[in-house]
Amino acid sequence: MPVMILIPGPLRPFSAGRDRLRLERSPGTVGEALAELAAVYPGVRDRVVTEQGEVRPHINVFVSGENIRDDSGLSTDVPEGSEIAILPAVSGG
């Protein structure tokens, strides 16, 4: 079963307007999923991960509803058929 990556509105200009991207191969980790995504849509990954290879502070990434910051970060396992959601942090007042 393929892994789906959900793309938020602000990043859709970098994914050809698509809100969902299906990965052809099942990645083992979130980092591998983002690398596969970068092969097709490099602008998305660049806005999610810093030059040092860390998730940007204002971005949250979830695997099947679990924040990867509470797990192993980019080394978090991605079970087959999972959904990876990329969500920019929202603040207000």
Side-chain angles (χ1 to χ4, degrees):
M1 201 180 305
V3 169
M4 296 293 291
I5 299 181
L6 307 178
I7 306 295
L11 297 182
R12 289 182 193 152
F14 306 100
S15 66
R18 299 180 64 195
D19 64 344
R20 292 175 180 265
L21 301 170
R22 188 182 82 193
L23 299 180
E24 294 302 317
R25 295 178 297 135
S26 225
T29 66
V30 172
E32 291 172 9
L34 292 176
E36 188 173 330
L37 177 65
V40 181
Y41 301 106
V44 175
R45 184 184 189 282
D46 293 345
R47 281 150 184 88
V48 174
V49 179
T50 67
E51 294 79 15
Q52 293 76 32
E54 299 293 325
V55 175
R56 293 186 183 277
H58 64 281
I59 298 289
N60 291 301
V61 179
F62 295 84
V63 174
S64 299
E66 297 294 322
N67 194 327
I68 67 168
R69 292 184 199 280
D70 300 331
D71 198 328
S72 301
L74 293 174
S75 297
T76 299
D77 290 332
V78 178
E80 203 170 303
S82 295
E83 256 187 10
I84 298 172
I86 300 169
L87 299 172
V90 179
S91 64

